[in-house]
Amino acid sequence: MDEESTTLHRVRGRVTSRDGTPIAYERYGDGPPLVLVSGALGTAAGERVLGGLLAGRFSVVAYDRRGRGASGDTGPYAVEREIDDLAAVVGAAGAGAALHGTGTGGALALAAAAAGVPAGPVSVYEPPYSAEERERWRRVAALLDRGRRAAALDLFLADAAAAAGLPPGVTRLRPGVAGPARTLAYDLAVLGDGTLPERSLARVHARVLVVDGGASPAGTRQAARALTAALPRARHRTLTGQTHEVAPHVLAPVVEEFLAEDRETAGAV
């Protein structure tokens, strides 16, 4: 039995997306609904530590994105279908559910908010919009285009390890990161050309918290500030000493504080 199983009571469920694809999720905790959107290769299992830290204040829902874990993968892939998946999960979590996304999961959460998914406030950690990230994903895309999925996965993991400050040549597959290599193409589609989608971001009317790590590359931190400026109602926060592999116990209280402030603001209106 894994460690989280001894402390969290998880309820597993499944919703059907607009195109008939089954999307699996886990729910734990009690309180206002909060949906966690994983980044590249992530699954619901990978969100359990962060979700467990937030479960004392929120009803946390983590889900397997399309093509991962216990979820289906109806083709052909389209970003709009992933947005429909997230909309179905929000429907199961509860209307107005807050969203938190890390990496490409943050980009997807913002795309869903821009598309009108009835979610509440959004927090994101380092969506990959820096020039360095664009180059990283360009190299991954080139391998995928040549059908070299294993090589693309190796490159992605090596780059992720470098971003986490691991020594050169060291790769690491984090617990809960189990998405097949083909889903890297899905994250590429979510990112588009890798530049800030300013026209789309202008349609995000929810309050947004953009978070980055103080030990992340300068380009990543600059991209976070640019993202904050492109959103109509956003604020920025840097977590001292953190890299892209943010520590859940550092991130959780920041997300909790932001969502508590949002509820207070809504109550005052």
Side-chain angles (χ1 to χ4, degrees):
M1 179 177 291
D2 62 322
E3 181 179 351
E4 292 82 15
S5 297
T6 65
T7 58
L8 287 177
H9 174 65
R10 296 194 302 274
V11 176
R12 292 181 173 85
R14 184 171 293 183
V15 293
T16 302
S17 191
R18 185 192 298 267
D19 68 357
T21 303
I23 302 297
Y25 68 87
E26 318 182 328
R27 183 198 296 265
Y28 36 87
D30 188 32
L34 167 61
V35 175
L36 303 182
V37 187
S38 61
L41 303 176
T43 63
E47 303 294 341
R48 287 176 187 162
V49 176
L50 177 61
L53 293 168
L54 292 166
R57 293 284 300 274
F58 303 97
S59 176
V60 179
V61 175
Y63 73 105
D64 291 333
R65 285 176 53 190
R66 177 176 294 247
R68 311 179 194 185
S71 289
D73 193 16
T74 306
Y77 177 82
V79 176
E80 291 77 11
R81 291 189 173 196
E82 276 234 67
I83 291 174
D84 287 342
D85 300 344
L86 182 47
V89 174
V90 167
L99 304 178
H100 172 76
T102 296
T104 52
L108 177 59
L110 290 172
V117 171
V122 180
S123 67
V124 296
Y125 188 83
E126 295 192 355
Y129 287 121
S130 68
E132 295 88 347
E133 288 285 358
R134 287 198 297 275
E135 174 59 21
R136 170 192 180 189
W137 280 99
R138 185 197 66 76
R139 291 185 290 129
V140 170
L143 290 170
L144 290 173
D145 287 345
R146 297 201 297 271
R148 299 181 60 192
R149 288 180 178 175
L153 178 59
D154 288 345
L155 175 61
F156 178 84
L157 293 174
D159 284 350
L166 295 179
V170 176
T171 60
R172 180 176 65 188
L173 191 62
R174 301 186 307 277
V177 175
R182 72 174 184 278
T183 63
L184 290 173
Y186 302 173
D187 290 281
L188 273 164
V190 170
L191 293 175
D193 65 4
T195 60
L196 277 179
E198 295 186 5
R199 184 173 299 180
S200 172
L201 294 172
R203 299 195 298 271
V204 177
H205 301 298
R207 291 181 67 244
V208 180
L209 175 66
V210 180
V211 189
D212 62 13
S216 290
T220 298
R221 290 181 279 118
Q222 291 168 1
R225 290 191 290 272
L227 172 60
T228 305
L231 289 159
R233 302 174 62 201
R235 55 190 279 195
H236 174 250
R237 176 83 178 265
T238 295
L239 304 183
T240 303
Q242 296 299 303
T243 67
H244 191 65
E245 295 290 327
V246 61
H249 73 274
V250 175
L251 178 60
V254 173
V255 173
E256 183 175 321
E257 178 185 21
F258 168 67
L259 296 181
E261 289 176 359
D262 186 83
R263 292 199 302 275
E264 291 173 3
T265 300
V269 174

